[in-house]
Amino acid sequence: ALARVREQLVEHNRGRGRGERHGGPPAAHAAGGRRRRLRRRPVFGEWPGVQEALPVRQRDLEQLGPPQRRHGAVREQRSPRAVSVGVGGAIFVWEDNRSHFSWDLYAQRISSTGDTLWELNGVPVCTASLDQIDARLVSDGSGGAFVAWTDYRNGTTNWDVYMQRISPDGQPLWAADGIAVCAGPSLQYAPEIA
């Protein structure tokens, strides 16, 4: 793919008479060397630290326009889990870093035809302080779901297990940010529900 982009840019530059106007290509190019600018390629609407060397001009980048998001939420999403809700479609839960400070849990219901049924970027399951990770979920038998996870809200050396029930329309049915299943001293983690 990179070779094809390079060829297109070279052809583009030749078509403008760039080499002829300046007395041919620079010596470095004639000897097989290349001038390169580092261009960061957009991923999910952001400009990550990964850079890729391409022979690219500023006006070529301007023609491409700004990076486009492939989903609505900013930052990273990871560790998706899904459960069929028995009435067509499924509920998905994932770890989400859109707050820039910690991993929170969000959910989305997808219809059997692939349409999202709740808010555009999902509904919050838990956005308490610090991280909420390692979510597991099961259907509640009524079109909603039970979600359990490892929760760091009481400190990074005091992990606990919390749980939330989500209604068929994406509303939390229990206390905001879930209820403690086990919040004893030390570490409780890796919940499993069936």
Side-chain angles (χ1 to χ4, degrees):
L2 292 177
R4 190 174 66 224
V5 170
R6 285 186 189 112
E7 288 173 15
Q8 288 172 350
L9 287 172
V10 167
E11 288 299 316
H12 178 74
N13 289 338
R14 279 189 194 142
R16 293 177 180 252
R18 185 174 179 190
E20 296 165 10
R21 196 173 14 169
H22 299 292
H29 285 209
R34 293 183 212 149
R35 262 191 251 178
R36 294 182 181 187
R37 285 188 189 165
L38 292 180
R39 182 186 117 194
R40 294 186 295 178
R41 183 172 44 177
V43 176
F44 294 120
E46 294 185 68
W47 296 95
V50 177
Q51 294 184 344
E52 167 172 42
L54 288 175
V56 109
R57 296 177 312 193
Q58 184 61 38
R59 68 175 168 235
D60 293 328
L61 290 175
E62 289 168 1
Q63 288 175 355
L64 294 174
Q68 300 296 312
R69 282 200 187 114
R70 291 184 172 58
H71 60 79
V74 181
R75 305 279 295 178
E76 291 180 74
Q77 290 75 42
R78 68 181 187 191
S79 304
R81 302 276 181 173
V83 65
S84 172
V85 290
V87 291
I91 293 176
F92 288 79
V93 173
W94 65 90
E95 297 169 14
D96 196 302
N97 189 244
R98 70 182 73 176
S99 71
H100 301 269
F101 300 108
S102 63
W103 290 100
D104 298 318
L105 297 176
Y106 281 78
Q108 178 63 268
R109 184 168 177 181
I110 308 294
S111 72
S112 59
T113 59
D115 297 320
T116 57
L117 300 177
W118 296 343
E119 293 179 26
L120 175 64
N121 299 317
V123 296
V125 175
C126 182
T127 58
S129 63
L130 300 177
D131 292 336
Q132 290 77 46
I133 62 168
D134 200 25
R136 300 291 188 262
L137 72 160
V138 295
S139 172
D140 69 358
S142 300
F146 294 103
V147 182
W149 64 89
T150 302
D151 198 302
Y152 289 56
R153 74 179 74 179
N154 295 319
T156 57
T157 59
N158 187 16
W159 309 346
D160 299 314
V161 174
Y162 277 73
M163 192 168 181
Q164 179 63 272
R165 185 175 182 189
I166 304 171
S167 72
D169 61 350
Q171 300 301 312
L173 295 176
W174 297 341
D177 293 327
I179 59 170
V181 174
C182 185
S186 197
L187 307 177
Q188 294 74 227
Y189 58 94
E192 291 293 333
I193 55 178

